[in-house]
Amino acid sequence: MSLFASLARDPETSSDPASSRRSFLRGATTALAAAGLGPLAAGQSPTKPNAQDAVHLPELHADTEAPDKTPGPFEAPSQRTGFAVVGLGTLSLNQILPAFAKSKYCRVAALVSGDRDKSRKIAAQYGIPDRSLYDYKTYDQLAQNPDVQAIYIVLPNSLHAEFVVRGAKAGKHILCEKPMATSVKDCERMIAACKAANVKLMIAYRQQYEPMNRQIIKMVKEGKLGTVKSFIATNGQNQGDPAQWRQKLALAGGGCLPDVGIYCFNAARFLSGEEPSEVVAFTTQPKSDPRFTEVEESCGFTLHFPSGLIATCSTGYGIHRSQFLRIEGEKAWAELSPAFAYTGIKLKTNRTEDGHNVLSEPSIEEKDQFALEMDHMAQCVQQNLQPHTPGEEGLHDQRITDAIYESARTGRSVKIAPPPQPTRGPDPQES
Ligand code: NAD
């Protein structure tokens, strides 16, 4: 069993999320150091294959036993794509950095943060040397760091554009969190900068790499649902601190819609394989609540698709966490409840068979969505492939976001032009 498999199987890591994070970090630190997954020595090329640093262990059990379920094969450290993680906030600390130990093709090679004390502590946990720690001013010096091939941008939304453009100019491939940016103009200049620098740009739509979402895509493509007629989804939660950047229009670009509502309409697009042509929307913004002086509290919208498919979605910042989607065809439906979560997603399907109503809950192994998404990016870098969720996917979601806000503002339905070409690259190789 590989070192990482033993970490993944540690029963401590699968119970309470806070204690599993702590125990995981403890384990990951030791394991990463032991496996030599810290950054490479100066001058050592991270792209040069070095099969000697891969560990292969003999099989312990007889052939008559079922093989251990290990997540390997993992790539040797020297063959992995080195990532610089930019912004050490909630998502980076709790999801992205731990996911490196579950990834097969990535390693964390550098950190970028405005808080040196914090980045030193995190660097110690992940075996990153001082020379690979940057702040937002020295960020451009990543250009001179041969350990880093890709940059993962995990900053407040309106800062994505600047850091993507600077990262591309530094000659690094870019994985950027959703929403891609806060305006169509910014999305376009991010795409242009990455094209000009000849680097990949991928938007981190983790749910598009998640196995149960991929199963629904397959069912739709194979006609298992029949003609798809309707999609319903909700994604909402109660926001806390009114001073958080998510409540500031200039940093967030909006309220619940670009933050969590985006999952609903992105799912309507990628699950159905269609693009919406028109939207009607409403927002509410109780300005007396300090959380909503600048951004909307809730948003409901209905998207119409050329085939006749109607997607009805709602999102909110003032509701108890609610995450659900269902895609309904003439022959069957498939639902995820919860949908959009980091873990615990459950798939249910319903169809009629031999005159009976059949409700099933297919058992599909849960995988770390961040590891899957990062591994896809690494494969694109290593094999020179187009990402499945490139900048164009994020740009089209920004156009839809703008159309939703325009409809809510004007009280009219708003047409959405189809994208000039498909917005998604080839399907990911694994999920
Ligand atoms: P966060 O507030 O926890 O972290 C943001 C980080 O950016 C902090 O370390 C902060 O210090 C830094 N920062 C730099 N400049 C800043 C500025 N001017 N104002 C505020 N902070 C600044 O946020 P987060 O939850 O980690 O979100 C970061 C990004 O990740 C956002 O784009 C968000 O939409 C995205 N996100 C994605 C998912 C997902 O499931 N894919 C989940 C959560 C967040």
Side-chain angles (χ1 to χ4, degrees), residues 18 54-55 104 165 195 211 239 265 283 299 315 336 341 377 403:
V55 178
K104 295 179 182 176
V165 171
K195 280 211 172 105
Q239 285 305 102
F265 63 83
T283 52
C299 179
T315 178
L336 297 177
M377 177 71 182

Side-chain angles (χ1 to χ4, degrees), residues 88-91 118 136 154-157 159-160 177-179 204 206 244-246 251 259 263 342 370:
L88 299 179
T90 322
L91 188 68
K118 180 164 64 170
Y136 300 120
V154 203
L155 291 167
N157 307 340
L159 304 181
H160 293 180
E177 261 309 327
K178 51 53 59 183
R206 61 181 164 80
Q244 226 256 336
W245 65 263
R246 281 179 169 81
L251 282 165
D259 189 29
Y263 287 90
Y342 299 145
F370 293 92

Side-chain angles (χ1 to χ4, degrees), residues 385-413:
L385 303 172
Q386 191 200 1
H388 182 57
T389 51
E392 286 75 6
E393 176 77 348
L395 166 63
H396 201 61
D397 272 354
Q398 185 62 48
R399 291 194 197 282
I400 294 171
T401 301
D402 288 355
I404 292 172
Y405 280 137
E406 185 184 334
S407 172
R409 201 174 51 247
T410 61
R412 299 209 175 94
S413 81

Side-chain angles (χ1 to χ4, degrees), residues 306-375:
S307 69
L309 164 65
I310 293 172
T312 310
C313 306
S314 72
T315 178
Y317 261 174
I319 53 167
H320 176 59
R321 188 179 297 280
S322 175
Q323 300 181 305
F324 170 85
L325 72 79
R326 184 186 286 165
I327 184 161
E328 301 167 328
E330 55 186 352
K331 292 201 290 198
W333 55 250
E335 76 173 34
L336 297 177
S337 181
F340 315 125
Y342 299 145
T343 57
I345 293 177
K346 288 207 166 54
L347 170 63
K348 251 189 217 169
T349 64
N350 190 284
R351 65 187 192 283
T352 305
E353 210 173 272
D354 300 330
H356 296 285
N357 200 33
V358 181
L359 183 68
S360 60
E361 296 185 26
S363 130
I364 295 174
E365 192 193 345
E366 185 164 70
K367 293 195 178 161
D368 187 301
Q369 298 167 48
F370 293 92
L372 290 173
E373 141 208 302
M374 293 192 301
D375 275 345

